[in-house]
Amino acid sequence: MAVAVTDGGSWWWRHRAEWLIGLLIAIQAVNLWRINHRPMALAIAHPTWGISRTEHLSYLPSPLVARLLAFGHHNTVAKLWWIESYKYFNHRVEVGGDEALGGGERGSFERLYDALIALDPHFVPFYFHAAMNTGSVADNPHAQLRFLAQGVHQHPDQQELWRYLASVLAHDFQMEERNPDQLLAILIRWADVVSEAEGEEGARSWAQGWMQAMARRQERGLGQVNYWAGILRVTSPTSPQGRIADRTLREHLTRYGASQLQALHDAFVAHFGHPPADISEIVHIEALRQVYPTPVTDAGPEPLMVTGTDTVVIRHDPYGWPYRLEDGTVVSHGLRLADYQRWLRDLNRMARELGWPPLRSSEDIKLWPVDLDAAPEGLRLLVIDGLLAAQVDDPPFPPWTINDLLGAAELHIPGPP
Amino acid sequence: MIPIVAFATWRECLRSRSFLGLLALFIVFMALSRLIGWISATDGDIVTTDVVFSLQSIIGVLVAVATGTALMHVEIQQCTLYTVLSRPVARWHFVVGKFLGLALALLCGQLTMLVLSLLYLALTGATVSWPLVLAGLLTAQEIIIMAAISLTWTTLSTPLLAAALSLATYALGHAVHELPSFLTYVRASWGQEMIAWAASLVPNLGRFAYRNQAVYGQELAIGDALQTVIYGLLWIALLVTITVAVFRRRQL
Amino acid sequence: MHDDQAVQPVLSFREVSFTYRGDWMQRITALREVSFTILPGQACGFLGANGAGKSTSIKLIMGLLHGHSGDIRLFDRPIGPPELRRTVGYLPEQPFFYENLSVEEYLRYLGRLSGLDGPRIRSACERVYEELDLGDLRRRFLRSFSKGMRQRFGLAQAIFAGPDLLVLDEPFSGLDPLWRSRFREILLAERSRGATLFFSSHILSDVEDICDHYVIIDHGQVLEAGELSGLFAQAPVQMVGEGPAPAEAELLSGGHWRWIFPEQRRTVALRTVQECGGSILRLERQRQALEDYFVNRVRSSHKAGQALHASDDDNGEAAP
C-alpha cells in the first residue's frame, strides 16, 4: 500500500509540466470563448450554441486573426467556414437584413466575406457570394460594390465578375446616367485587362452592349435580354438584383413591342395610304407579311399573339396596359408610367443630394428648381417624407410574368435589328 | 554508422502502429472529403482538393509529432538505445541516423499520401496538375521540419510536453508568415524590430504552404521553390545540430 | 584489486566518482572514489544492494553516463572513443528492444553496427540461434516477446559479435531455472573462449558458479574486492569425530561430536584432538555461501555507516 501511494505521488510530480501546460491551454480556451473569437466553435456541434452561431456568425474572427488561426490551411478553413455560413445565409434570406454582432458597424456578411477572402483570395465564388449577399440580401450596395471591385482586382480575367460589377454600377449607382464616362472607363479597363483573345472579344462586345444600353432610349432590339434573363434565373425575382433584372427586361420588351407595332403601323400606312382608325387595325395580313416574313411565335417577346380562333391580336404591354396609337406613334402607357416613376426617383435623389427643401404637399413642388411634367393618366402625385411619390392605378390586365415568358423566349428571341 | 541506424529507424517507423493508423485515417478522411466538395455546391473540385491537401499536411504533422516525440522517448525511457550506443556508435551518429530514418519514413508516408491524393482527385474528376505535385513535396518538407522540431523538443523535455511544444511551434511557424500584416498594428519601430527578431527564431512554415496557391494552378517560380527548399534544409540542419548538442550532454 | 603490470587490464576504475542532479537540482553522489581492475579472462561478479551504484558504474563503462571524475579505462585506454566498444558486449538491466524489428533484423542491424560483414553476421546469427534457442523465433517481432525471451535475446545480442569483454547487468533476471542454468553454461563457454566477464547479479549463487573474482559495492563505494577462492579460503573448518571430545566441540547423538574452527586454528585443533584421545571421522571446509558473506559484509558496513552518519551527515547516496 505504501508503495502505491509513493508511486502515485511521484507520477503527479513527474508530470507537473504537462499539467501546467494543460491548465494554461484550458485558461486560454476560456479566454477565447469569452472574447467571442471561438476557433473551436467550428468543431463543436452543440444544439444551443448552433443557433447562436449560425444566426449571427458571432464566432468569426477578424481577417488577420483568421489567417493566424488557419495554421497554413487557409483555403480549407475558408471553405469550411463558408459551408458553415450557409445556415446564416438561409436564415437571412428568410428574415432579411444582416446582423452585426461582434463586428462593429459592419454586417456579419461583410465580416464573413472579409475573413473568407483574406483566407482564400483566389476562390472566385467568394466574391460572387459576397456581392450577392451584401447587395441582394443585406441591401448594402456599397459593400457589394467593394467586394466586386476587390474581385476584379484579384481576378481581372473573370468576365462574370466584370459583368456583375458593370451591372451594379449601372443599375444601383446609375453610372450610365450620372457618370457615363467613368463607367466607360471601367468597361475599357475590363477590356484591357483580360488576356485571352476570346475573353477580350467578350469584354469588348459586352462593353459595346453597354454602350448600346446607354443609348437604349433609341434602341429597338433585344440584345440584352439574354444577359438579364441569365441574372433573373440565378436570383430570386423578389430580391433587389431580381427586381432590377425584371424591371430592365420589362422595359426592353416594351420598347421592342412598341417598335414592332410601329413597324406594322408604318407598313399598314404604306399599303393602304391612310392611317388606321384603331390600333387593332394594324394587325393586317399585308403589314404582317412585311414585318414578320417568318411565322410569329405563339409566346415570347412579341407584342402579338395568336388566339384560339387563329386570329392574331395585339397583346397588352408587359406592364399590363394596352398599347396606344397617338398621332401615328405606338406608345406603351405602362412604360410611360414606369419612365415617369423613374424620373420621380431621380428627382428625389437630386433633391436629397442637393439639399432642396422638403415638400409638405404636391403644391410645394414649385419650391424645387425644376419644371414638373404633368403626371400621366392613372398616376397621382403624393408627398411622403418630404419627397415626391406616385400612386399608380392597377393596370387593366395582369402584367407579364417575365419568368414564364423566359421559357418561351429562349426558344425564339429575334436578334437585334 | 548513420545509414545503418537510419535504415533500421526507417523500417521501425514504417511498421509502427501509429504511423500505419494515421495513414489509414488519411485514406478514410480523403474518401470522405468528396462530401465536403458536394456540400459546397460551387467548385466542389477545388474544395475537395483543398481538403485532401490539408489532410495530407495535418495527418503528416500528427505523424511527425507522434513518431518524432515517441522515437527518442522510447529510446531513452525503455533504454532501447543502450544496445545501440554500446556498439561503436557515436551519439551524433545515432541522432543523425535516427532523424534521417524518421525523415525517410515520413517522406515515404507523404509520397504515399500524395500519390493517393492525386489518384483520388483524378478519379473524382478534379484537375491534377504539376503545381499540386510541387505543393505535396513542399508539404513533405514541412513535415520533415516538424519531425526535426519534435526531435529537438523531445531531447529537452518529456514526450507530452514535447508534443505540445512541437504543435505550438507549428502554430508559431505559420503565424510568423502573417507577421507583415501583424506588424502594421505595432506602432513603435523598436517593437516591430523586436517582434521580427523573435520571429526569426522560428521556422517560417507558411513558406511551405504552397498548396493554397497550387490548388488554383498558380505556378511557383523555380527560384522561389529552390529558395524554400534550401531554407527548409538549413532549418533542419540547425535543429538536428541543436538536438545533437543536447543529446551529447544528456545522461542516459 | 590486481596490480599486475605485465598484463594490461581489460577494465579498470581508478578513484572514479560520479554525481548527478536530482529532482530539485541537488547534487547526489552515486559513486565515490571507486577503484578496481579486471584482467583479461577474469569473470568478475559485481555485487551490491539496490541503488548501490552497480548500474551507474556499468553505464559509465558503456559511455551512457558521463561527467565522472577519476579514470575509467577499457583495454587500458580511457573510455570515450566509441571504437573502444567494438569488442564489448553489453546486456542492460531489463532490456527493451525495438518492437517492430524481428530477431533476425535486429541482430543484423547490431552486427553491422559492430562492423561485422555479411558472412560473419550470418555465422554469428546461426551460433546464437543455436545457443539460445532463437532459431524458431528469428522472424518474430520483439514486441511479442515475454520478459524471459527478451532476456534471452539480450544475451544473444551481447555475445553476438564474439566480444572480448562482456558487461552484463543482472543477466539472470526474469529467467526460469532451466534458462538460468543455460545462461550459466553459455557464460562459462564465453569465458572459456577467452572473453572477460563483468556482471552484476542479485542471484549470488550464479556468481559463485561463474566468477573467480568479485567486487562488492555499497552506497557508491567499493567495500571489498578480491578473488572468490580467497573468500572461500576464509571459510571455517568442520571436524566431526567420536570418542573423547575437545572442550569446544558440540556433542551430537551416537557419541559423535562436531567442532567448527577457523582455518588458522587447523593445526592447533588437530593437536588438541590428539591430546584428548578423540578420533577424527571427517574434516572438511564448511561451505560458506557468497550470499551470507555478502549480507554480513553489507550489514556490517551499514552499521559502520550509521555510526559515521551520526557524527557526519555527508554520506554517499543511492545510485540513479
Side-chain angles (χ1 to χ4, degrees):
Chain A
M1 184 62 75
V3 171
V5 171
T6 307
D7 282 350
S10 63
W11 187 88
W12 283 89
W13 176 247
R14 277 203 309 275
H15 293 85
R16 61 194 182 278
E18 285 86 339
W19 290 113
L20 187 64
I21 290 283
L23 187 66
L24 287 173
I25 290 171
I27 291 169
Q28 192 55 29
V30 170
N31 279 338
L32 283 169
W33 194 265
R34 287 180 58 203
I35 63 171
N36 240 347
H37 285 169
R38 297 179 299 183
M40 289 305 290
L42 194 67
I44 299 169
H46 189 282
T48 54
W49 299 338
I51 294 168
S52 160
R53 219 171 61 224
T54 54
E55 288 193 359
H56 304 303
L57 299 180
S58 53
Y59 60 88
L60 278 175
S62 71
L64 176 60
V65 175
R67 286 186 70 85
L68 286 174
L69 291 176
F71 301 142
H73 302 280
H74 301 73
N75 291 8
T76 307
V77 171
K79 307 294 167 33
L80 292 177
W81 269 341
W82 182 43
I83 291 169
E84 174 78 357
S85 73
Y86 285 179
K87 285 182 188 172
Y88 178 77
F89 167 70
N90 289 331
H91 181 65
R92 285 297 140 195
V93 164
E94 284 172 14
V95 302
D98 192 11
E99 290 291 340
L101 288 182
E105 292 178 354
R106 292 184 309 141
S108 287
F109 274 131
E110 277 191 86
R111 292 173 51 240
L112 169 71
Y113 287 105
D114 277 338
L116 297 189
I117 289 171
L119 284 170
D120 189 2
H122 304 296
F123 196 56
V124 177
F126 283 162
Y127 300 97
F128 277 108
H129 282 243
M132 191 179 74
N133 289 334
T134 51
S136 304
V137 179
D139 200 17
N140 182 353
H142 291 281
Q144 182 183 33
L145 185 63
R146 178 168 69 83
F147 283 119
L148 287 169
Q150 237 178 312
V152 295
H153 179 72
Q154 187 72 36
H155 301 280
D157 57 331
Q158 285 292 326
Q159 304 278 332
E160 295 297 321
L161 278 175
W162 280 105
R163 252 185 219 121
Y164 202 163
L165 173 67
S167 68
V168 167
L169 287 172
H171 286 272
D172 287 338
F173 292 88
Q174 279 85 38
M175 286 278 281
E176 57 182 327
E177 291 155 9
R178 296 164 66 185
N179 200 340
D181 292 343
Q182 201 173 357
L183 179 61
L184 187 60
I186 290 169
L187 295 174
I188 289 168
R189 171 79 183 139
W190 170 15
D192 286 344
V193 293
V194 289
S195 54
E196 295 172 13
E198 192 182 342
E200 194 174 350
E201 179 58 32
R204 288 197 187 285
S205 66
W206 206 84
Q208 284 160 9
W210 269 105
M211 283 183 263
Q212 285 176 11
M214 283 189 286
R216 67 183 171 205
R217 298 294 183 274
Q218 289 80 40
E219 188 194 56
R220 294 173 63 245
L222 292 171
Q224 293 181 42
V225 164
N226 278 331
Y227 168 70
W228 288 110
I231 296 282
L232 197 57
R233 261 186 226 109
V234 296
T235 55
S236 161
T238 55
S239 68
Q241 190 74 16
R243 284 200 295 272
I244 290 167
D246 184 275
R247 193 168 66 216
T248 309
L249 277 169
R250 209 172 286 276
E251 186 181 328
H252 280 232
L253 291 167
T254 308
R255 292 189 195 286
Y256 172 73
S259 70
Q260 292 299 93
L261 293 176
Q262 188 65 48
L264 283 173
H265 171 268
D266 295 346
F268 182 91
V269 171
H271 188 264
F272 294 104
H274 60 84
D278 184 82
I279 192 168
S280 61
E281 286 184 17
I282 65 173
V283 189
H284 189 275
I285 188 65
E286 295 301 331
L288 284 172
R289 272 186 189 144
Q290 284 187 35
V291 177
Y292 289 100
T294 53
V296 179
T297 51
D298 190 27
E302 299 303 330
L304 306 173
M305 65 181 207
V306 182
T307 65
T309 55
D310 286 345
T311 308
V312 178
V313 297
I314 300 175
R315 302 167 80 176
H316 53 80
D317 70 19
Y319 298 96
W321 293 87
Y323 285 103
R324 296 176 181 182
L325 191 59
E326 294 178 356
D327 299 330
T329 304
V330 177
V331 294
S332 157
H333 188 63
L335 186 58
R336 182 181 282 160
L337 289 169
D339 279 346
Y340 195 85
Q341 288 179 83
R342 184 205 301 271
W343 181 73
L344 282 182
R345 280 198 298 274
D346 290 347
L347 202 61
N348 284 332
R349 188 182 300 118
M350 202 183 296
R352 275 199 305 268
E353 289 175 0
L354 299 178
W356 294 349
L359 306 176
R360 281 168 298 179
S361 69
S362 57
E363 298 301 316
D364 286 351
I365 191 64
K366 57 182 176 292
L367 296 173
W368 287 6
V370 288
D371 293 326
L372 190 66
D373 292 345
E377 173 196 337
L379 184 147
R380 280 171 300 287
L381 283 175
L382 302 172
V383 171
I384 297 175
D385 296 335
L387 296 172
L388 284 171
Q391 186 182 32
V392 186
D393 290 345
D394 287 338
F397 300 100
W400 291 12
T401 307
I402 299 294
N403 269 339
D404 293 347
L405 168 78
L406 293 175
E410 268 188 336
L411 300 175
H412 178 78
I413 297 177
Chain B
M1 292 298 165
I2 292 173
I4 299 169
V5 176
F7 180 72
T9 307
W10 171 75
R11 190 143 61 174
E12 167 81 0
C13 285
L14 284 190
R15 290 171 181 173
S16 78
R17 287 174 186 170
S18 63
F19 185 87
L20 295 173
L22 284 169
L23 200 63
L25 196 68
F26 169 77
I27 293 170
V28 172
F29 279 149
M30 184 182 71
L32 293 175
S33 65
R34 191 67 192 160
L35 292 177
I36 297 177
W38 285 333
I39 292 169
S40 67
T42 312
D43 277 342
D45 288 345
I46 285 185
V47 176
T48 307
T49 312
D50 276 333
V51 173
V52 166
F53 272 76
S54 278
L55 277 175
Q56 185 200 339
S57 169
I58 290 167
I59 293 199
V61 168
L62 290 179
V63 172
V65 172
T67 319
T69 50
L71 197 71
M72 291 307 268
H73 169 68
V74 169
E75 291 279 6
I76 295 167
Q77 199 68 26
Q78 299 194 343
C79 309
T80 49
L81 82 179
Y82 285 4
T83 52
V84 177
L85 289 180
S86 61
R87 260 72 190 178
V89 179
R91 286 196 182 190
W92 76 270
H93 285 163
F94 178 74
V95 172
V96 173
K98 275 277 156 193
F99 171 73
L100 288 180
L102 173 62
L104 196 63
L106 290 172
L107 188 64
C108 288
Q110 285 290 301
L111 290 179
T112 308
M113 287 191 215
L114 180 60
V115 169
L116 287 175
S117 302
L118 296 176
L119 275 175
Y120 180 73
L121 291 174
L123 286 173
T124 53
T127 309
V128 174
S129 58
W130 282 111
L132 285 181
V133 177
L134 181 58
L137 294 175
L138 285 179
T139 299
Q141 196 183 14
E142 180 189 8
I143 300 309
I144 291 170
I145 294 173
M146 279 308 298
I149 290 169
S150 302
L151 210 61
T152 308
W153 282 125
T154 313
T155 51
L156 289 167
S157 59
T158 60
L160 197 60
L161 190 57
L165 289 169
S166 302
L167 292 175
T169 311
Y170 177 74
L172 274 176
H174 280 287
V176 295
H177 195 62
E178 309 298 335
L179 203 62
S181 316
F182 179 72
L183 285 181
T184 57
Y185 291 90
V186 182
R187 289 184 183 168
S189 60
W190 63 266
Q192 293 187 350
E193 284 169 16
M194 282 276 288
I195 292 171
W197 179 83
S200 66
L201 298 176
V202 182
N204 181 351
L205 296 176
R207 293 181 69 146
F208 301 91
Y210 167 58
R211 54 185 170 268
N212 291 323
Q213 288 83 45
V215 168
Y216 298 102
Q218 293 189 351
E219 292 187 359
L220 186 65
I222 292 178
D224 292 342
L226 274 177
Q227 211 176 10
T228 304
V229 169
I230 291 167
Y231 175 81
L233 290 175
L234 287 174
W235 263 106
I236 288 170
L238 178 67
L239 289 164
V240 173
T241 307
I242 293 170
T243 310
V244 167
V246 174
F247 192 74
R248 282 182 70 172
R249 296 177 56 80
R250 183 156 184 158
Q251 305 286 21
L252 299 172
Chain C
M1 189 159 75
H2 284 271
D3 197 19
D4 191 342
Q5 297 300 318
V7 183
Q8 287 186 343
V10 173
L11 171 67
S12 66
F13 271 52
R14 192 169 302 158
E15 296 181 349
V16 174
S17 296
F18 177 74
T19 57
Y20 65 96
R21 298 275 183 187
D23 271 350
W24 294 96
M25 297 304 284
Q26 77 274 32
R27 297 185 72 83
I28 296 173
T29 302
L31 297 180
R32 189 190 293 269
E33 296 183 349
V34 170
S35 299
F36 60 85
T37 304
I38 312 289
L39 295 177
Q42 287 183 352
C44 179
F46 195 37
L47 312 176
N50 287 332
K54 299 190 299 294
S55 292
T56 303
S57 303
I58 288 176
K59 285 180 183 178
L60 282 171
I61 297 167
M62 303 313 298
L64 302 171
L65 295 175
H66 55 83
H68 61 277
S69 64
D71 187 29
I72 304 176
R73 287 176 172 260
L74 261 178
F75 307 109
D76 209 28
R77 288 173 61 193
I79 58 162
E83 275 304 309
L84 274 182
R85 298 195 290 269
R86 188 175 290 282
T87 52
V88 178
Y90 171 52
L91 170 64
E93 184 185 9
Q94 295 180 342
F96 279 91
F97 305 101
Y98 300 132
E99 292 184 339
N100 298 310
L101 293 183
S102 70
V103 168
E104 187 167 8
E105 288 167 348
Y106 214 122
L107 288 175
R108 285 179 180 280
Y109 169 48
L110 296 177
R112 281 191 214 101
L113 289 179
S114 297
L116 301 184
D117 55 17
R120 284 185 66 195
I121 288 175
R122 271 193 295 278
S123 65
C125 278
E126 292 307 323
R127 181 170 64 85
V128 294
Y129 288 159
E130 192 181 325
E131 287 186 6
L132 288 145
D133 275 356
L134 289 170
D136 294 339
L137 305 173
R138 65 171 70 183
R139 302 208 192 287
R140 263 177 72 173
F141 286 174
L142 286 147
R143 63 170 170 247
S144 64
F145 273 29
S146 66
K147 189 179 177 190
M149 289 160 85
R150 280 204 306 271
Q151 199 73 10
R152 277 158 63 191
F153 178 76
L155 184 62
Q157 61 83 31
I159 64 173
F160 179 73
D164 294 335
L165 171 64
L166 263 173
V167 179
L168 313 170
D169 200 351
E170 305 288 350
F172 301 101
S173 161
L175 293 175
D176 59 38
L178 282 176
W179 274 105
R180 253 175 51 201
S181 163
R182 186 76 167 270
F183 264 44
R184 273 199 300 272
E185 289 168 15
I186 292 169
L187 292 180
L188 287 171
E190 284 296 311
R191 200 182 159 192
S192 52
R193 181 178 62 79
T196 305
L197 304 186
F198 179 72
F199 71 92
S200 68
S201 179
H202 284 122
I203 305 165
L204 302 183
S205 60
D206 293 324
V207 175
E208 276 183 53
D209 291 346
I210 297 164
C211 297
D212 50 13
H213 287 77
Y214 70 98
V215 175
I216 297 178
I217 186 170
D218 188 48
H219 284 86
Q221 286 178 299
V222 172
L223 292 184
E224 194 174 309
E227 290 184 43
L228 270 177
S229 57
L231 182 69
F232 296 145
Q234 295 170 19
V237 176
Q238 176 177 269
M239 181 186 288
V240 178
E242 60 184 0
E248 295 168 55
E250 174 191 2
L251 291 175
L252 302 175
S253 60
H256 294 157
W257 48 262
R258 180 172 60 192
W259 186 18
I260 297 172
F261 50 85
E263 172 67 27
Q264 300 91 302
R265 291 189 61 197
R266 180 191 286 254
T267 313
V268 176
L270 287 171
R271 196 183 307 132
T272 305
V273 172
Q274 197 176 6
E275 285 170 0
C276 73
S279 57
I280 297 169
L281 296 177
R282 196 163 69 241
L283 180 67
E284 60 191 5
R285 192 185 299 281
Q286 189 181 38
R287 178 144 178 77
Q288 182 188 25
L290 180 61
E291 192 161 337
D292 296 337
Y293 182 78
F294 169 74
V295 170
N296 291 333
R297 186 69 184 84
V298 172
R299 274 185 186 158
S300 62
S301 162
H302 282 194
K303 281 175 190 164
Q306 281 165 4
L308 186 67
H309 191 68
S311 59
D312 181 6
D313 261 347
D314 183 24
N315 202 356
E317 296 285 345

